[in-house]
Amino acid sequence: MNKEFYKLKTSIIKALSNPIRLMIVDCLRDGEKSVTQLIELLDEEQSNISKSLGILKSNGLIKDRKEGLNVFYSLKICCINQFFCCLDSMIEENIKYQQELINSSTKKG
Amino acid sequence: MNKEFYKLKTSIIKALSNPIRLMIVDCLRDGEKSVTQLIELLDEEQSNISKSLGILKSNGLIKDRKEGLNVFYSLKICCINQFFCCLDSMIEENIKYQQELINSSTKKG
DNA sequence: ACACTATATGATAAAATTGCAATATAGTCA
DNA sequence: TGACTATATTGCAATTTTATCATATAGTGT
């Protein structure tokens, strides 16, 4: 149990554990976007988007490319599709489980 | 951009974004463990472990089975191996990238 | 019933994260 | 140079998360 190593891992997970940042990553799955585009797509404050991009970048999840005034961000991680796939199936399972709980409780009561 | 849906997703990710909780999940990859076993393996306070298990369970990541005084926990998610695999490759890439930065800066300076 | 063990829960202070507003930086164009 | 646009950074109050201590619950054996 090397706790330092787990801290390193959780810092990456933490970067994804915020709705705005997760939306950004999801958004970038279909190609690079400028900060302005992300602000529009996500309908969030400019400073929030900028800060979120900084956190994602410093954790190695995205990379940037400057072009004049604009900065374009894109994904740096290959396994992101698997990741979202996994997340979706977890949510699906959770919903199914909660449904079962509701069903069994209504049968009893 | 359905923000509520992303909140749902991030609550699952958040459950994994803490060193103790991630250690627990990793620990359970080789089979179910009792709370006492986890306390010993992780060398953490009993209440921390218990609370962590509660968070993981309520997010549908683990399940429990009672046997006398003991409660055994096990993984409920199938894609956890992929998840850790992905995490490891991300960390590896980050370290590689940081190495490159160090190398290129020492060449210049 | 009592003592004992395993686990869960509650209260709470400290630490980390969030979101907004303001400000700074830096590239472009006149 | 000055005005303008895109992006980054800073300050800070509000919220959330964490860790610890104390207490509660619940099963077991006497």
Side-chain angles (χ1 to χ4, degrees), chain B residues 56-90:
Chain B
L56 289 170
K57 190 188 163 191
S58 69
N59 279 282
L61 297 166
I62 60 177
K63 57 178 189 264
D64 61 348
R65 175 178 77 77
K66 275 154 210 185
E67 194 179 298
L69 272 175
N70 303 289
V71 181
F72 290 91
Y73 283 90
S74 58
L75 290 185
K76 215 179 134 183
I77 39 177
C78 40
C79 46
I80 199 67
N81 280 322
Q82 275 186 5
F83 179 80
F84 274 91
C85 203
C86 182
L87 213 51
D88 285 335
S89 69
M90 274 194 245

Side-chain angles (χ1 to χ4, degrees), chain B residues 5-36:
Chain B
F5 195 48
Y6 281 93
K7 269 192 194 170
L8 202 62
K9 288 191 185 188
T10 49
S11 73
I12 293 178
I13 304 176
K14 262 188 188 147
L16 292 168
S17 73
N18 167 283
I20 296 181
R21 297 195 295 266
L22 193 65
M23 279 194 279
I24 289 176
V25 170
D26 206 4
C27 254
L28 296 180
R29 286 168 78 193
D30 66 348
E32 68 168 18
K33 305 258 183 322
S34 72
V35 181
T36 308

